[in-house]
Every structure is written in structure tokens, then in C-alpha cells.
Amino acid sequence: MKTPSRAAIITLVGLIMPSGCSPRPDYHPESGAIADPDGDLLVINARIWTADELQKSATAMLVREGVFIHVGDESSARSKTRQGARIIDAGGRIVIPGLIDSHLHLIDGGLQLSRLNLRDVPDRPAFIEAVRRRATETPPGRWIQGGRWSTESWPDPTQPNKEWIDAVTPDNPALLSRMDGHAALANRIALDKAGIDLHGPEDPPGGQIERDPATGEPTGILKDTAIELVRRQIPELTDTELDAGLVAAMKHANEHGITCVHTMSGFSHLAVFDRARERGALTLRIRQYISEDQWQDFIGRAKAHRNDDWVRVAGFKAYADGSLGSRTAFMKSPYADNSAERPDWRGLVIALGDSAALTSACVEIMRHSFAPAIHAIGDEANAAILRTYSTALRQVRDTGSVGGPPPMPRIEHAQHLLPESIPEFAAYGVVASMQPLHKADDARYAEKAIGVDRCKTSYAFRSLIDAGAVVAFGSDWPVVSLDPFSGVRAAVTGLSLDRRLFVPEQNITVDEALICYTRNAACAAGDVATLGMIREGLLADFLILDFDPFTIDPAKINRFRGETFVAGRRVAQTSNTTEPTRVISWNGDKSPQNGR
């Protein structure tokens, strides 16, 4: 897999990670790694895929105090192992670095696990029945939340409206998100609480209150910033509810082989992560990208927060546009399936109205060693953010940094690109933070929305990698499943959820896809010196797989099956094998933070 053109990046900024996406070979982490009071862990009889270009494979590895001490063969690993070590015989199975989800919404995903899920309902009657059942289980006055619906695969893909659910939710306000979170369905009670009716309000900047073209009556569909008009009426969650959401999310992530996440959420979620940190309950490393309107107001608090190998503020999140499914992604040309009422519709502009202010905000946070991470899905939104980053990086070079060098700036999603935008990711040193399962999902309607030609540079994994860009993979959970191996399948095969081939010229190899979930994902958050590879001196997060992703038919790659280790401690086992890992002197499962 190619690395970025470092000469171009250094010429432009003069301060972005001069060694690219590979840590110094002699790097050893500071004392942030978790001490293991139970001694060494030796893994033998393994086929280790390291994600490390300096040493691509090994058969044994030694972990001490949460760090890889040795990676090589069994004889040399045993020679460095202390007495009383735990020994795992991997039985010839594949071992890979722990997988990193480069873009999700961690606590929201954990909360969604217990909310109404409409993701797989097949048609309108099933949709209405699922809402009715949830309403019968919900006390009067309590909000019904969740959703994640999508109608594109239904026999009749007509969008829902409030009339679908008003009759079955007579006593409960309801707000049900579309799959991508950029549109939502509100019932009459919820609209009334927000003061949305025939007479107003006007659409907020960056949002749309959908209305019947004949009557002006709101349909119940709200898009992007308009969703907040209703969402702010929902009572705030308690600390207990938020803590439970985090616990559920961590368990779910570990069971899918995920050991670190880049979560996009409000500043208040840091308190939830801190509480888990203090309880010694974290089983997942967390990198937060703070999603707040005024970034500069949070720089001081983000810098003051205790940063370690478990919880760290890595950057700040903003939105440039909406989504393809909601037809709110900002495109250079009109959508192919626009209605007669608005033939020139190109999507919504959310954070591009004042480009000077956005550039200034990017400069300020990068000077303080934080990375901007801006959501851009439409081709024109991506082009505009690349221009913003180019200008901001030059200004940072000219003014200097008050901290260390920042992580690389990121574009979240980078789904639909103009051909001329692709080489700019590498030239400017911008991470393409992408979600391959979205390709499988959006393939059902992308050509209808934007036409065949624009799809050729959609989900441009192959083109970006060949251009030398850093491509990092994530899920956007709870928008879609966080299972990284479903993402690998989508990136490698180009198969849609309905098993059709979509833009196969952008397919990549299994090896490249796993690099995007490991080494490149670590690079995307400035963790290249500590995570993402099985290399001596790096933090010991790894998986023992019950299948071989490198030899199986890529179309048959399914969800993670195996064991998940964080800091050398097993945090999850999801296995279909009848031959479990043989462990000598294993002392039982513990949270990786126990003993601190």
C-alpha cells in the first residue's frame, strides 16, 4: 500500500509528521501502557500478520505490561520470556493487530442497541407495526427514539411521513432517524412540541423542514439541522443512562474485534469516558473528535483533559453537507433524480457558508495540535474542504504551532469525489476517513441519485490508495453495522447489500483493507507511534482469528470470529470453533484496566 507523498506534504506545511505513517523503529511508549501484574504473555504457534512493512509476519510474540516486547519466532520469544508467563498456543491461527474504527458515534451506538431498530423492516406495513409495538411498550409521554430506517430496497420506496405513525403513537412523541442520520421522521406530537406547523418556522440554515407542496403542511420529515428543532425537546439523558450506553457499546465493539475507536460526539461525552476510566472499566481505547459549533471555545478544555493511551481528544468535527440518501450531500451538478419542483437541487451547505471562518477555526486547532475532521459526502463539498485545508495548512506553516505537530487533517466519508480532487488528498496530506459498508448500502440507489459517471469516482478506495493518500476505514455506527469484516468484504468485492456489483474498479485487496483498519487508522488519529501494528514497543492490542481472511473467498468474509485482546488482556471471545485456544497458566478474563 502506498504512503502519502511526503515531499509534497512537507513542502506545503513543514510540520505534519515528517516520518509519514510509520513510527520510528526505535520508538518505545511512555508509561501510559497498562501494567500487567500477572507477568508476561507469550503467544506461540501463530501466523502473525503484523501490518508492519519492516516485518510483515512472525510466528510468536511476547507481551509485557501491555506492550509488545518481542515479535519473531518461538525460540527467540521464549528466550526473553520471564518465569510464570501465560502462554497461548494459537494452534496455527491468524493473529492480526486490533482493529480501529476510524469513525463512529460510540455512545449513540450503545444507546441505539436498546432503541427501536427499523433497519431491516421490509415495507410500510412492517414499519408501522414495529412502531406500534414499541408504542405499546412505552409509557405515555415517553419519547420513542431510534429508527435507522431506509426505504430504498422496499417494493415501494416512498419515504414515510407522519401519517404513517400518528395513529399508532397517540400518547408518545416520536423521532425516528433515517439510516444515515441526516433525515428523521417526527410524529405530530413531536412536531407540536417543536412548534413546527403549517405557519412555520422557516428552514434553519443547513436544514430543511419538508412540507407538502400543495398545502405547506409539514410531512414529518426533517433534514440535517432541522432535526435539532425536535431533538432539543427530548429530555437530556442521565449519567446512568449514558454510562450504560458506553458499557453496551464497548462490549459490542470488542465482540467485533475492535480495540480502538475514533468517536464523533459532543464535548460532554468526555465526562462519560472519564467515569469509565476512573472505574477501570475501559476495554476500548477512545479517540474523541469533539462535535461542537464553536471549536475555539473548547480548545483549552480539550488540552486540559488528561490525555493517555486510553482516552484522548484527537480533534474537532464539523459538517460541510448532508448525505446522499437524503439528497442533502452538496454536489457540483444537480441530482439526477430531482423532482420537477426543484430541478436544480444540489444538496445542503452546512459549514461552508463562511469559508474564512472555517479556515480560521482549522488554523487555530491545528496550531494547538488538534486535527480538523470535517464531514463531506458530496463532490463539491469535498472539493471545498480540500481548498480550505490547503489554505489552513499554509497558514499554520507560516504562523507556527504552539504545541507539537498535529495529526493530519481529515475528511470524514469522502464518498463522492471530483476526479481532480483525488490527488489532492495525498498532495495536502489529508486523511480520507471512509466507511466501506456505506458503499454496499448506497449502491442500491447511488446511480439513480447521481448517475453512472459520477459513481465512477465514488468510494474511490483504489484511486486514493494509488494516488498515495492515507485511507482509514470505519463504520459510522450506528448508521450501519460496526463489523469491520463486513467493511472488508464491501471494499474488496464491491458487492452491494442486495449482492449486485457496484464500481468494482475501486476494489482493493484484503491486505490493503486491513491496513486501512490498522496502521492507517492509527495514523489518522496521530497514533502511528503506539498503535496499528504488531511491532516491538507498540501497545499490545491484537486479535486471534477463527478464520483466514487472506485465503477465504472474499464474498464469504463475514463478521469477526475469534478473540479480542486489549493491552494483552482478553476482553471478548466470539468463536464458532470447537477447538478453543489452548492457554497455559491463563488466569481468567479481566478488564485491561484492573490493577491500576
Side-chain angles (χ1 to χ4, degrees), residues 21-309:
C21 281
S22 295
R24 301 188 309 273
D26 61 343
Y27 176 83
H28 292 282
E30 302 293 338
S31 58
I34 289 177
D36 179 2
D38 301 309
D40 293 356
L41 170 64
L42 175 64
V43 179
I44 60 174
N45 194 17
R47 291 182 290 156
I48 302 173
W49 181 85
T50 65
D52 183 356
E53 291 181 335
L54 299 180
Q55 181 185 7
K56 295 185 177 181
S57 63
T59 58
M61 61 191 192
L62 175 63
V63 175
R64 182 177 299 154
E65 296 183 353
V67 175
F68 293 116
I69 298 299
H70 183 77
V71 180
D73 59 31
E74 181 175 341
S75 176
S76 58
R78 281 188 180 273
S79 70
K80 298 180 180 182
T81 303
R82 299 180 302 191
Q83 187 174 5
R86 296 169 295 152
I87 303 174
I88 292 180
D89 184 336
R93 291 191 291 163
I94 298 287
V95 176
I96 67 173
L99 300 179
I100 301 170
D101 190 311
S102 297
H103 181 112
L104 51 57
H105 308 273
L106 187 63
I107 293 177
D108 290 345
L111 294 169
Q112 176 62 33
L113 292 171
S114 61
R115 289 176 174 171
L116 178 60
N117 187 350
L118 298 169
R119 186 69 179 86
D120 297 321
V121 296
D123 52 30
R124 174 176 173 173
F127 182 106
I128 295 171
E129 174 59 20
V131 176
R132 186 198 66 77
R133 285 198 306 269
R134 178 54 63 102
T136 63
E137 302 164 357
T138 305
R142 185 80 58 84
W143 281 79
I144 298 173
Q145 298 183 73
R148 301 297 167 185
W149 50 267
S150 175
T151 66
E152 278 77 11
S153 294
W154 293 5
D156 177 2
T158 302
Q159 253 190 167
N161 59 54
K162 66 180 186 296
E163 280 73 26
W164 287 25
I165 61 173
D166 278 347
V168 297
T169 57
D171 302 314
N172 303 94
L175 183 65
L176 304 173
S177 295
R178 189 187 178 277
M179 176 203 73
D180 54 18
H182 289 268
L185 172 65
N187 68 356
R188 168 62 71 183
I189 298 175
L191 293 173
D192 287 346
K193 285 181 176 291
I196 299 173
D197 59 21
L198 179 64
H199 307 291
E202 294 183 356
D203 290 345
Q208 181 187 25
I209 301 168
E210 188 178 271
R211 297 179 181 276
D212 185 298
T215 67
E217 177 74 17
T219 67
I221 293 292
L222 308 170
K223 296 185 177 181
D224 285 293
T225 60
I227 302 170
E228 293 304 313
L229 300 174
V230 170
R231 186 173 287 140
R232 68 172 63 120
Q233 310 304 318
I234 301 174
E236 289 190 6
L237 293 164
T238 66
D239 287 351
T240 299
E241 290 171 322
L242 291 168
D243 291 346
L246 175 59
V247 169
M250 290 192 298
K251 180 176 184 293
H252 192 66
N254 290 154
E255 289 174 346
H256 286 82
I258 296 170
T259 57
C260 178
V261 297
H262 304 171
T263 184
M264 315 287 155
S265 61
F267 183 82
S268 63
H269 282 188
L270 264 178
V272 186
F273 305 146
D274 277 343
R275 287 196 295 271
R277 175 73 171 72
E278 292 301 320
R279 295 195 308 270
L282 288 177
T283 62
L284 198 64
R285 303 188 195 276
I286 298 171
R287 307 293 179 255
Q288 183 176 12
Y289 290 80
I290 295 172
S291 183
E292 300 285 356
D293 290 337
Q294 300 299 322
W295 290 351
Q296 294 92 327
D297 294 346
F298 294 89
I299 292 174
R301 282 180 278 178
K303 291 178 69 175
H305 181 267
R306 176 182 55 201
N307 292 327
D308 58 22
D309 289 326

Side-chain angles (χ1 to χ4, degrees), residues 367-378:
R367 290 185 66 247
H368 289 275
S369 300
F370 295 112
I374 300 180
H375 164 120
I377 288 182

Side-chain angles (χ1 to χ4, degrees), residues 249-470:
M250 290 192 298
K251 180 176 184 293
H252 192 66
N254 290 154
E255 289 174 346
H256 286 82
I258 296 170
T259 57
C260 178
V261 297
H262 304 171
T263 184
M264 315 287 155
S265 61
F267 183 82
S268 63
H269 282 188
L270 264 178
V272 186
F273 305 146
D274 277 343
R275 287 196 295 271
R277 175 73 171 72
E278 292 301 320
R279 295 195 308 270
L282 288 177
T283 62
L284 198 64
R285 303 188 195 276
I286 298 171
R287 307 293 179 255
Q288 183 176 12
Y289 290 80
I290 295 172
S291 183
E292 300 285 356
D293 290 337
Q294 300 299 322
W295 290 351
Q296 294 92 327
D297 294 346
F298 294 89
I299 292 174
R301 282 180 278 178
K303 291 178 69 175
H305 181 267
R306 176 182 55 201
N307 292 327
D308 58 22
D309 289 326
W310 288 96
V311 179
R312 178 166 60 81
V313 177
F316 289 79
K317 165 81 181 301
Y319 290 86
D321 65 346
S323 72
L324 183 71
S326 298
R327 304 302 191 270
T328 54
F330 186 46
M331 308 299 295
K332 183 176 182 178
S333 300
Y335 281 91
D337 59 351
N338 279 338
S339 65
E341 289 81 14
R342 51 177 192 177
D344 298 325
W345 177 253
R346 297 194 292 136
L348 288 173
V349 175
I350 298 178
L352 300 178
D354 188 342
S355 59
L358 182 60
T359 300
S360 176
C362 289
V363 169
E364 186 65 13
I365 65 166
M366 284 194 287
R367 290 185 66 247
H368 289 275
S369 300
F370 295 112
I374 300 180
H375 164 120
I377 288 182
D379 54 18
E380 186 62 26
N382 276 278
I385 295 303
L386 286 165
R387 292 192 295 269
T388 295
Y389 284 161
S390 174
T391 302
L393 288 166
R394 287 192 179 93
Q395 292 184 22
V396 173
R397 177 200 61 192
D398 293 340
T399 60
S401 173
V402 297
M408 300 167 74
R410 302 163 48 132
I411 290 183
E412 305 303 311
H413 310 303
Q415 282 184 196
H416 310 286
L417 302 177
L418 301 172
E420 58 266 29
S421 293
I422 291 172
E424 293 180 343
F425 279 85
Y428 302 155
V430 176
V431 174
S433 170
M434 307 180 78
Q435 300 74 45
L437 197 53
H438 281 338
K439 178 182 179 181
D441 209 337
D442 288 5
R444 298 171 298 154
Y445 54 85
E447 290 181 351
K448 176 185 176 185
I450 60 175
V452 172
D453 286 344
R454 279 186 282 181
C455 284
K456 292 177 182 177
T457 49
S458 295
Y459 307 96
F461 312 135
R462 176 81 276 147
S463 296
L464 285 163
I465 289 170
D466 288 348
V470 175

